[in-house]
Amino acid sequence: DIAERAEGLRNDAGHPVDRRRRLRIDDEQRGHRRRVRRYCVRVSAIGSQPRAVRIAALIGAAQGIALATYALALVSFEARSTTTGIKGSDLAPGVLVALYLVFALLVFGVTYWFATGRAAARTPFLLIQAFGLVVAQPLFSGDGSKPVAAGIVIASLVALGCALAPSSRRHAP
């Protein structure tokens, strides 16, 4: 009976251990600051990643920039064009531009997550690179765009190789 009362008093008095022997953390204790610091380190950890991860992240960022630039070029083309709609597309130009910009944001997000070591971003990053190869195929069959298609293929293959390299699998912080 005395032991139970002592246990109750210890928990009521703000003892750092609760009944399940877990530490209780008050808002002003140091435990919260360490947790915040860990996430701040994760943001700045891109520069400390292996070379393969940094190269893959650079290529992914360039792909996101290219996609956003293409969306803005569609806006410019639509503004100067006398016909309505984009050739070969059933979507309205505004919807098409919005979709490309959303895809560009997704590419940036997945690339950032991959570069900071999130394991869940590995498969989407690899899929983005595979889609780069799929996009390049019709460009090879078109006229005048073979250098662009070759650049897309080379960039996607390099990013795939870097993302599948053994050093990139162990880069999670």
Side-chain angles (χ1 to χ4, degrees), residues 116-166:
T116 55
R118 293 194 185 195
R122 182 180 189 75
T123 301
F125 186 80
L126 293 173
L127 283 173
I128 288 170
Q129 303 314 314
F131 284 135
L133 296 173
V134 171
V135 165
Q137 190 275 332
L139 292 176
F140 270 122
S141 61
D143 34 320
S145 57
K146 288 190 186 350
V148 173
I152 292 172
V153 167
I154 290 170
S156 292
L157 288 177
V158 168
L160 277 171
C162 289
L164 292 173

Short mmCIF file of all heavy atoms in Angstrom, two decimals, residues 116-166:
data_model
loop_
_atom_site.label_atom_id
_atom_site.label_comp_id
_atom_site.label_asym_id
_atom_site.label_seq_id
_atom_site.Cartn_x
_atom_site.Cartn_y
_atom_site.Cartn_z
N THR A 116 17.52 13.81 -50.22
CA THR A 116 17.66 13.88 -48.77
C THR A 116 17.61 12.51 -48.11
O THR A 116 17.69 12.43 -46.90
CB THR A 116 16.59 14.79 -48.15
OG1 THR A 116 15.31 14.34 -48.55
CG2 THR A 116 16.82 16.23 -48.54
N GLY A 117 17.47 11.46 -48.89
CA GLY A 117 17.60 10.12 -48.34
C GLY A 117 16.32 9.42 -47.96
O GLY A 117 16.36 8.43 -47.24
N ARG A 118 15.19 9.87 -48.43
CA ARG A 118 13.95 9.17 -48.10
C ARG A 118 13.83 7.93 -48.98
O ARG A 118 13.85 8.02 -50.21
CB ARG A 118 12.74 10.07 -48.33
CG ARG A 118 12.73 11.21 -47.37
CD ARG A 118 11.42 11.88 -47.39
NE ARG A 118 11.47 13.05 -46.53
CZ ARG A 118 10.41 13.68 -46.13
NH1 ARG A 118 9.22 13.26 -46.50
NH2 ARG A 118 10.52 14.73 -45.36
N ALA A 119 13.68 6.80 -48.34
CA ALA A 119 13.62 5.53 -49.08
C ALA A 119 12.37 5.44 -49.95
O ALA A 119 12.39 4.82 -51.00
CB ALA A 119 13.66 4.37 -48.09
N ALA A 120 11.29 6.08 -49.54
CA ALA A 120 10.04 6.02 -50.30
C ALA A 120 10.13 6.78 -51.62
O ALA A 120 9.29 6.58 -52.49
CB ALA A 120 8.90 6.57 -49.47
N ALA A 121 11.12 7.63 -51.80
CA ALA A 121 11.23 8.41 -53.03
C ALA A 121 12.05 7.70 -54.09
O ALA A 121 12.11 8.16 -55.23
CB ALA A 121 11.87 9.76 -52.73
N ARG A 122 12.65 6.59 -53.76
CA ARG A 122 13.52 5.90 -54.72
C ARG A 122 12.74 5.38 -55.92
O ARG A 122 13.11 5.61 -57.07
CB ARG A 122 14.23 4.76 -54.00
CG ARG A 122 15.18 4.01 -54.84
CD ARG A 122 15.81 2.91 -54.00
NE ARG A 122 16.87 2.30 -54.71
CZ ARG A 122 18.06 2.85 -54.90
NH1 ARG A 122 18.33 4.01 -54.37
NH2 ARG A 122 18.98 2.23 -55.59
N THR A 123 11.64 4.67 -55.69
CA THR A 123 10.86 4.12 -56.80
C THR A 123 10.23 5.21 -57.66
O THR A 123 10.33 5.13 -58.89
CB THR A 123 9.78 3.16 -56.25
OG1 THR A 123 10.44 2.12 -55.53
CG2 THR A 123 8.97 2.57 -57.37
N PRO A 124 9.61 6.26 -57.10
CA PRO A 124 9.10 7.32 -57.98
C PRO A 124 10.21 7.99 -58.79
O PRO A 124 10.00 8.35 -59.94
CB PRO A 124 8.45 8.30 -57.02
CG PRO A 124 8.11 7.52 -55.83
CD PRO A 124 9.15 6.47 -55.72
N PHE A 125 11.40 8.15 -58.20
CA PHE A 125 12.50 8.75 -58.95
C PHE A 125 12.90 7.86 -60.12
O PHE A 125 13.13 8.35 -61.23
CB PHE A 125 13.71 8.99 -58.03
CG PHE A 125 14.82 9.73 -58.70
CD1 PHE A 125 14.76 11.10 -58.85
CD2 PHE A 125 15.91 9.05 -59.22
CE1 PHE A 125 15.77 11.78 -59.50
CE2 PHE A 125 16.92 9.73 -59.86
CZ PHE A 125 16.86 11.10 -60.00
N LEU A 126 12.95 6.56 -59.91
CA LEU A 126 13.28 5.64 -60.99
C LEU A 126 12.20 5.64 -62.07
O LEU A 126 12.50 5.56 -63.27
CB LEU A 126 13.49 4.23 -60.44
CG LEU A 126 14.71 4.05 -59.53
CD1 LEU A 126 14.70 2.66 -58.91
CD2 LEU A 126 15.99 4.30 -60.28
N LEU A 127 10.94 5.77 -61.65
CA LEU A 127 9.84 5.84 -62.64
C LEU A 127 9.92 7.12 -63.47
O LEU A 127 9.62 7.10 -64.67
CB LEU A 127 8.49 5.75 -61.94
CG LEU A 127 8.08 4.35 -61.48
CD1 LEU A 127 6.81 4.42 -60.66
CD2 LEU A 127 7.89 3.45 -62.67
N ILE A 128 10.29 8.22 -62.85
CA ILE A 128 10.44 9.47 -63.60
C ILE A 128 11.49 9.30 -64.69
O ILE A 128 11.31 9.75 -65.83
CB ILE A 128 10.79 10.63 -62.65
CG1 ILE A 128 9.58 11.00 -61.81
CG2 ILE A 128 11.30 11.84 -63.43
CD1 ILE A 128 9.90 11.97 -60.68
N GLN A 129 12.59 8.62 -64.35
CA GLN A 129 13.65 8.42 -65.34
C GLN A 129 13.18 7.47 -66.45
O GLN A 129 13.51 7.66 -67.62
CB GLN A 129 14.92 7.88 -64.66
CG GLN A 129 15.44 8.76 -63.57
CD GLN A 129 15.50 10.23 -63.95
OE1 GLN A 129 15.94 10.58 -65.03
NE2 GLN A 129 15.02 11.08 -63.07
N ALA A 130 12.40 6.46 -66.09
CA ALA A 130 11.86 5.55 -67.11
C ALA A 130 10.89 6.30 -68.03
O ALA A 130 10.89 6.08 -69.25
CB ALA A 130 11.16 4.37 -66.44
N PHE A 131 10.10 7.20 -67.47
CA PHE A 131 9.20 8.01 -68.31
C PHE A 131 9.99 8.93 -69.23
O PHE A 131 9.54 9.25 -70.33
CB PHE A 131 8.22 8.82 -67.46
CG PHE A 131 7.10 8.00 -66.89
CD1 PHE A 131 6.73 8.15 -65.58
CD2 PHE A 131 6.42 7.08 -67.67
CE1 PHE A 131 5.70 7.40 -65.04
CE2 PHE A 131 5.39 6.32 -67.15
CZ PHE A 131 5.03 6.48 -65.84
N GLY A 132 11.16 9.37 -68.78
CA GLY A 132 12.02 10.15 -69.66
C GLY A 132 12.41 9.37 -70.89
O GLY A 132 12.45 9.91 -72.02
N LEU A 133 12.68 8.09 -70.73
CA LEU A 133 13.00 7.24 -71.89
C LEU A 133 11.78 7.05 -72.79
O LEU A 133 11.90 7.03 -74.02
CB LEU A 133 13.52 5.88 -71.41
CG LEU A 133 14.83 5.90 -70.64
CD1 LEU A 133 15.15 4.52 -70.09
CD2 LEU A 133 15.96 6.40 -71.53
N VAL A 134 10.61 6.93 -72.18
CA VAL A 134 9.38 6.78 -72.97
C VAL A 134 9.08 8.06 -73.75
O VAL A 134 8.66 8.00 -74.91
CB VAL A 134 8.20 6.42 -72.04
CG1 VAL A 134 6.88 6.48 -72.77
CG2 VAL A 134 8.42 5.04 -71.43
N VAL A 135 9.32 9.22 -73.15
CA VAL A 135 9.07 10.49 -73.83
C VAL A 135 10.04 10.67 -75.00
O VAL A 135 9.68 11.24 -76.04
CB VAL A 135 9.19 11.67 -72.83
CG1 VAL A 135 9.29 13.00 -73.53
CG2 VAL A 135 8.01 11.66 -71.88
N ALA A 136 11.24 10.17 -74.87
CA ALA A 136 12.25 10.36 -75.92
C ALA A 136 11.94 9.53 -77.17
O ALA A 136 12.34 9.91 -78.27
CB ALA A 136 13.63 10.00 -75.40
N GLN A 137 11.24 8.42 -77.03
CA GLN A 137 10.98 7.54 -78.18
C GLN A 137 10.23 8.24 -79.30
O GLN A 137 10.66 8.18 -80.45
CB GLN A 137 10.25 6.28 -77.69
CG GLN A 137 10.13 5.19 -78.72
CD GLN A 137 8.94 5.36 -79.64
OE1 GLN A 137 7.93 5.95 -79.24
NE2 GLN A 137 9.06 4.89 -80.85
N PRO A 138 9.10 8.95 -79.05
CA PRO A 138 8.45 9.63 -80.18
C PRO A 138 9.28 10.79 -80.73
O PRO A 138 9.14 11.14 -81.91
CB PRO A 138 7.13 10.14 -79.61
CG PRO A 138 7.05 9.73 -78.21
CD PRO A 138 8.30 9.03 -77.85
N LEU A 139 10.15 11.36 -79.92
CA LEU A 139 10.99 12.45 -80.42
C LEU A 139 12.02 11.94 -81.42
O LEU A 139 12.40 12.66 -82.34
CB LEU A 139 11.69 13.17 -79.26
CG LEU A 139 10.78 13.96 -78.32
CD1 LEU A 139 11.58 14.53 -77.17
CD2 LEU A 139 10.07 15.07 -79.07
N PHE A 140 12.46 10.71 -81.26
CA PHE A 140 13.39 10.13 -82.22
C PHE A 140 12.73 9.93 -83.57
O PHE A 140 13.36 10.10 -84.61
CB PHE A 140 13.93 8.78 -81.73
CG PHE A 140 15.18 8.88 -80.93
CD1 PHE A 140 15.22 8.38 -79.65
CD2 PHE A 140 16.33 9.46 -81.45
CE1 PHE A 140 16.37 8.47 -78.89
CE2 PHE A 140 17.48 9.56 -80.71
CZ PHE A 140 17.50 9.06 -79.43
N SER A 141 11.45 9.59 -83.58
CA SER A 141 10.76 9.36 -84.85
C SER A 141 10.32 10.65 -85.52
O SER A 141 10.02 10.66 -86.71
CB SER A 141 9.56 8.44 -84.64
OG SER A 141 8.64 9.04 -83.76
N GLY A 142 10.28 11.76 -84.76
CA GLY A 142 9.90 13.04 -85.34
C GLY A 142 11.05 13.65 -86.13
O GLY A 142 12.18 13.15 -86.15
N ASP A 143 10.76 14.76 -86.82
CA ASP A 143 11.80 15.39 -87.62
C ASP A 143 12.38 16.59 -86.87
O ASP A 143 11.67 17.43 -86.36
CB ASP A 143 11.27 15.81 -88.99
CG ASP A 143 9.84 16.25 -88.96
OD1 ASP A 143 9.07 15.60 -88.24
OD2 ASP A 143 9.50 17.24 -89.62
N GLY A 144 13.71 16.65 -86.81
CA GLY A 144 14.39 17.79 -86.24
C GLY A 144 14.58 17.76 -84.74
O GLY A 144 15.14 18.68 -84.18
N SER A 145 14.14 16.71 -84.06
CA SER A 145 14.27 16.70 -82.61
C SER A 145 15.14 15.56 -82.10
O SER A 145 15.07 15.21 -80.94
CB SER A 145 12.88 16.64 -81.96
OG SER A 145 12.19 15.51 -82.42
N LYS A 146 15.95 14.99 -82.97
CA LYS A 146 16.82 13.90 -82.56
C LYS A 146 17.86 14.33 -81.51
O LYS A 146 18.12 13.58 -80.57
CB LYS A 146 17.49 13.27 -83.76
CG LYS A 146 16.53 12.45 -84.60
CD LYS A 146 17.27 11.67 -85.64
CE LYS A 146 16.41 10.93 -86.62
NZ LYS A 146 15.05 10.80 -86.47
N PRO A 147 18.46 15.52 -81.59
CA PRO A 147 19.39 15.92 -80.52
C PRO A 147 18.71 16.07 -79.16
O PRO A 147 19.29 15.71 -78.13
CB PRO A 147 19.95 17.26 -81.01
CG PRO A 147 19.72 17.27 -82.47
CD PRO A 147 18.50 16.47 -82.71
N VAL A 148 17.50 16.58 -79.15
CA VAL A 148 16.76 16.71 -77.89
C VAL A 148 16.47 15.33 -77.32
O VAL A 148 16.65 15.08 -76.12
CB VAL A 148 15.45 17.51 -78.10
CG1 VAL A 148 14.60 17.50 -76.85
CG2 VAL A 148 15.76 18.93 -78.53
N ALA A 149 16.03 14.42 -78.18
CA ALA A 149 15.74 13.05 -77.74
C ALA A 149 17.00 12.37 -77.22
O ALA A 149 16.95 11.67 -76.20
CB ALA A 149 15.13 12.25 -78.88
N ALA A 150 18.11 12.58 -77.88
CA ALA A 150 19.37 11.98 -77.43
C ALA A 150 19.76 12.54 -76.06
O ALA A 150 20.23 11.79 -75.18
CB ALA A 150 20.47 12.23 -78.45
N GLY A 151 19.56 13.83 -75.85
CA GLY A 151 19.86 14.43 -74.55
C GLY A 151 18.99 13.87 -73.45
O GLY A 151 19.46 13.61 -72.34
N ILE A 152 17.71 13.67 -73.75
CA ILE A 152 16.79 13.10 -72.76
C ILE A 152 17.19 11.68 -72.42
O ILE A 152 17.21 11.28 -71.25
CB ILE A 152 15.33 13.16 -73.27
CG1 ILE A 152 14.85 14.61 -73.36
CG2 ILE A 152 14.41 12.35 -72.38
CD1 ILE A 152 13.51 14.77 -74.03
N VAL A 153 17.54 10.89 -73.44
CA VAL A 153 17.94 9.50 -73.21
C VAL A 153 19.21 9.44 -72.37
O VAL A 153 19.31 8.67 -71.40
CB VAL A 153 18.11 8.75 -74.55
CG1 VAL A 153 18.82 7.42 -74.35
CG2 VAL A 153 16.77 8.54 -75.21
N ILE A 154 20.20 10.24 -72.73
CA ILE A 154 21.46 10.23 -71.99
C ILE A 154 21.24 10.66 -70.53
O ILE A 154 21.73 10.02 -69.60
CB ILE A 154 22.50 11.13 -72.68
CG1 ILE A 154 22.93 10.48 -74.00
CG2 ILE A 154 23.71 11.37 -71.80
CD1 ILE A 154 23.77 11.37 -74.89
N ALA A 155 20.48 11.73 -70.32
CA ALA A 155 20.22 12.20 -68.96
C ALA A 155 19.47 11.16 -68.15
O ALA A 155 19.81 10.90 -66.99
CB ALA A 155 19.44 13.52 -69.00
N SER A 156 18.47 10.53 -68.74
CA SER A 156 17.69 9.53 -68.01
C SER A 156 18.53 8.30 -67.68
O SER A 156 18.43 7.74 -66.59
CB SER A 156 16.46 9.12 -68.82
OG SER A 156 15.56 10.19 -68.90
N LEU A 157 19.36 7.87 -68.64
CA LEU A 157 20.21 6.70 -68.38
C LEU A 157 21.26 6.99 -67.31
O LEU A 157 21.54 6.14 -66.46
CB LEU A 157 20.87 6.24 -69.68
CG LEU A 157 19.95 5.55 -70.68
CD1 LEU A 157 20.70 5.20 -71.95
CD2 LEU A 157 19.32 4.30 -70.08
N VAL A 158 21.84 8.19 -67.33
CA VAL A 158 22.82 8.55 -66.30
C VAL A 158 22.14 8.61 -64.93
O VAL A 158 22.67 8.11 -63.93
CB VAL A 158 23.52 9.88 -66.65
CG1 VAL A 158 24.32 10.41 -65.48
CG2 VAL A 158 24.42 9.70 -67.87
N ALA A 159 20.95 9.23 -64.88
CA ALA A 159 20.24 9.32 -63.60
C ALA A 159 19.83 7.93 -63.10
O ALA A 159 19.92 7.65 -61.90
CB ALA A 159 19.01 10.22 -63.74
N LEU A 160 19.40 7.05 -64.02
CA LEU A 160 19.07 5.68 -63.62
C LEU A 160 20.30 4.96 -63.08
O LEU A 160 20.24 4.28 -62.06
CB LEU A 160 18.50 4.91 -64.81
CG LEU A 160 17.02 5.08 -65.11
CD1 LEU A 160 16.66 4.44 -66.44
CD2 LEU A 160 16.19 4.48 -64.00
N GLY A 161 21.42 5.12 -63.77
CA GLY A 161 22.65 4.48 -63.30
C GLY A 161 23.08 4.99 -61.95
O GLY A 161 23.50 4.22 -61.08
N CYS A 162 22.99 6.29 -61.75
CA CYS A 162 23.37 6.87 -60.46
C CYS A 162 22.41 6.46 -59.35
O CYS A 162 22.83 6.19 -58.22
CB CYS A 162 23.42 8.40 -60.56
SG CYS A 162 24.81 9.00 -61.52
N ALA A 163 21.12 6.40 -59.65
CA ALA A 163 20.14 6.03 -58.63
C ALA A 163 20.23 4.55 -58.27
O ALA A 163 19.88 4.17 -57.15
CB ALA A 163 18.73 6.37 -59.11
N LEU A 164 20.70 3.73 -59.20
CA LEU A 164 20.83 2.30 -58.92
C LEU A 164 22.22 1.91 -58.43
O LEU A 164 22.47 0.75 -58.12
CB LEU A 164 20.50 1.49 -60.18
CG LEU A 164 19.03 1.56 -60.62
CD1 LEU A 164 18.84 0.88 -61.96
CD2 LEU A 164 18.13 0.94 -59.57
N ALA A 165 23.12 2.87 -58.36
CA ALA A 165 24.48 2.59 -57.88
C ALA A 165 24.44 2.14 -56.42
O ALA A 165 23.60 2.60 -55.64
CB ALA A 165 25.35 3.84 -58.02
N PRO A 166 25.34 1.24 -56.03
CA PRO A 166 25.35 0.76 -54.64
C PRO A 166 25.54 1.88 -53.61
O PRO A 166 24.96 1.83 -52.53
CB PRO A 166 26.52 -0.22 -54.60
CG PRO A 166 26.70 -0.66 -56.00
CD PRO A 166 26.30 0.50 -56.86
#
